[in-house]
Amino acid sequence: MALIAPSRRLRRTPFSRGVEEQGVKAYTVYNRMLLPTMFESIEADYAHLKKHVQVWDVSCERQVQVQGPGAAKLLQILTPRDLRKLQPDRGLYVPILNQNGGMLNDPVLLQVDFDTFWISIADSDLLLWVKALAGACGFDVEVTEPDVSPLAVQGPKAEELMARVFGDAVCDLRFFGAGRFRTRNHDYVITRSGYSKQGGFEIYVDGSARGMPLWEELFEAGKDLKVRAGCPNLIERIEGGLLSYGNDMTDENTPFECGLGKFVDDNQLDHCFGGRALKEEREAGSVQEVRAIEITADKLPPCDRAWPLHLGAAIVGQVTSAAMSPDFGVGVAIGMVSRGHWDAGTMLEVETPEGTFEAKVRESFWA
Ligand code: THG
């Protein structure tokens, strides 16, 4: 593929210099910002992530800050998840829906102060939607994009590295737990979360000027742990069933179709965007659902368009992300499959630009 031309529109991050010093080989664009996708190779990055610890520049997970007396009320109409579960010491994964119940984003929500919240967004312009809603409905809030850039520390040795920099107490965080931890005279919001299944943390770096010093501190502390710069890994996240907004779901899909029904609370459906559509879908059942798909192939092209799933002449779904898995020895994929064809074990065929392959619907890749 041709290069993507750098420009001011394609925002650099507080860590871009460090990422480039460590030899980033490919970037994608996410929220109009640079997101590394490869250092050594996707396969080598994958093997390292599963064994050691990596530091990821995920600044592109921009924060939509909602602050003010009306913040909690505004947030509750944005999502069908019951936000009474939200507390300063715990983040929540929250679907955000349009009027039809279509997914607008699938962010992580944090309460960083009494009336201050950060929505850590996936790749869609949620800032505009929240600003417009707040303004049009007269909520007493300010909606901004603060100078906050998440830095993820992921992999089996993430605890060891984080404890060295932030102290042992950081290891007491539970999954999606949040707290403030100090290094070099500054308290950072840190959560036990991140876009991998290898375990790890996310540091919300407030203030771009703190970026490179913290980056260097982490690499200095982790030398003997073989710490490397890394990034969300295509193979690992497909194996782990982590969905990618814009790839595996769009505003054409509901949270039920995306397997995110456990983040929909029925008692919220009268009060949030998309609630009515979700009630109807609960009654009628979904017409398609996201599934893990195993592909029998030796080689797969990049999945940069939807690949139709066939059962004979009929199209019964599409594959939306795919890669060859070194550990499983097959192609691993995520797709949407029509009702009647989504049971684990169902055999289909997937049509890629480089050939048609056998595709098997699976419960997941780890169970
Ligand atoms: N961290 C932060 N912000 C983010 C992401 C992140 N913004 C963009 C994107 N990732 C949002 N999407 C996801 C998708 C999955 C998860 C988090 C964010 C995730 N899911 C858990 C899982 O599937 O195992 C389940 C979460 C739960 O059970 O509550 O972690 O990664 N800051």
Side-chain angles (χ1 to χ4, degrees):
M1 196 178 138
L3 295 175
I4 296 181
S7 80
R8 226 168 79 83
R9 269 192 304 102
L10 215 177
R11 297 178 287 178
R12 291 174 62 79
T13 85
F15 315 107
S16 291
R17 199 186 85 221
V19 160
E20 284 158 9
E21 281 169 5
Q22 296 217 27
V24 62
K25 284 195 182 134
Y27 277 123
T28 187
V29 180
Y30 196 100
N31 287 323
R32 288 170 281 115
M33 196 170 242
L34 291 170
L35 170 62
T37 58
M38 178 167 87
F39 285 83
E40 191 179 340
S41 68
I42 303 276
E43 293 77 14
D45 294 353
Y46 159 91
H48 180 271
L49 170 63
K50 286 186 162 189
K51 208 167 162 193
H52 302 289
V53 54
Q54 298 183 345
V55 177
W56 296 0
D57 174 5
V58 284
S59 302
C60 66
E61 297 168 352
R62 302 312 294 161
Q63 307 306 301
V64 173
Q65 175 171 300
V66 184
Q67 177 163 44
K73 211 165 174 191
L74 169 59
L75 288 165
Q76 189 62 87
I77 67 172
L78 287 171
T79 179
R81 190 157 186 196
D82 188 341
L83 296 184
R84 286 174 299 187
K85 296 171 185 165
L86 188 64
Q87 310 212 322
D89 64 353
R90 180 176 175 213
L92 291 181
Y93 184 37
V94 292
I96 308 276
L97 312 181
N98 65 20
Q99 292 92 325
N100 308 318
M103 295 285 300
L104 287 180
N105 208 290
D106 68 327
V108 176
L109 176 61
L110 281 183
Q111 178 171 13
V112 290
D113 214 332
F114 173 63
D115 65 358
T116 307
F117 301 83
W118 288 346
I119 312 174
S120 186
I121 62 171
D123 187 19
S124 79
D125 288 321
L126 203 69
L127 184 66
L128 302 176
W129 175 261
V130 181
K131 270 185 193 279
L133 188 64
C137 300
F139 280 95
D140 188 4
V141 293
E142 271 200 276
V143 181
T144 56
E145 182 179 302
D147 178 13
V148 171
S149 297
L151 188 62
V153 178
Q154 301 285 301
K157 299 181 192 159
E159 277 202 331
E160 176 63 30
L161 177 54
M162 289 294 286
R164 289 181 189 181
V165 173
F166 292 98
D168 290 340
V170 79
C171 300
D172 296 338
L173 287 175
R174 294 167 300 133
F175 187 55
F176 267 69
R180 286 178 192 264
F181 300 88
R182 175 174 287 257
T183 184
R184 291 176 184 230
N185 258 338
H186 184 70
D187 285 328
Y188 292 88
V189 172
I190 295 180
T191 55
R192 191 187 282 271
S193 58
Y195 199 65
S196 87
K197 286 284 189 179
Q198 305 310 309
F201 301 83
E202 292 178 299
I203 310 162
Y204 290 75
V205 181
D206 55 316
S208 293
R210 296 197 174 93
M212 279 313 293
L214 179 61
W215 174 276
E216 274 153 14
E217 191 181 353
L218 286 162
F219 282 96
E220 191 58 40
K223 266 190 184 148
D224 61 308
L225 301 176
K226 295 193 163 59
V227 61
R228 281 196 203 170
C231 49
N233 183 275
L234 177 68
I235 312 168
E236 195 274 344
R237 75 98 182 154
I238 294 174
E239 287 178 3
L242 292 170
L243 301 183
S244 166
Y245 188 79
N247 286 317
D248 306 313
M249 59 180 142
T250 68
D251 62 2
E252 301 281 297
N253 302 119
T254 67
F256 296 136
E257 293 180 353
C258 300
L260 303 178
K262 57 179 177 289
F263 307 115
V264 173
D265 291 305
D266 286 340
N267 63 321
Q268 292 310 318
L269 296 185
D270 289 328
H271 313 292
C272 71
F273 269 92
R276 184 165 357 125
L278 293 195
K279 276 187 173 179
E280 286 169 14
E281 191 179 348
R282 268 258 205 255
E283 282 293 307
S286 304
V287 297
Q288 55 179 357
E289 272 183 21
V290 84
R291 283 292 180 272
I293 313 268
E294 178 182 315
I295 303 178
T296 307
D298 298 325
K299 197 168 167 281
L300 287 170
C303 188
D304 58 358
R305 66 207 82 175
W307 295 345
L309 278 166
H310 297 271
L311 178 64
I315 292 184
V316 298
Q318 57 180 17
V319 161
T320 52
S321 295
M324 290 303 300
S325 164
D327 288 358
F328 290 78
V330 294
V332 290
I334 293 173
M336 278 287 173
V337 184
S338 303
R339 176 157 63 188
H341 306 282
W342 66 38
D343 286 346
T346 304
M347 298 304 301
L348 304 170
E349 285 187 316
V350 61
E351 179 192 344
T352 81
E354 292 180 14
T356 296
F357 304 97
E358 196 169 81
K360 182 178 174 180
V361 178
R362 293 196 41 165
E363 203 64 56
S364 73
F365 291 113
W366 62 93

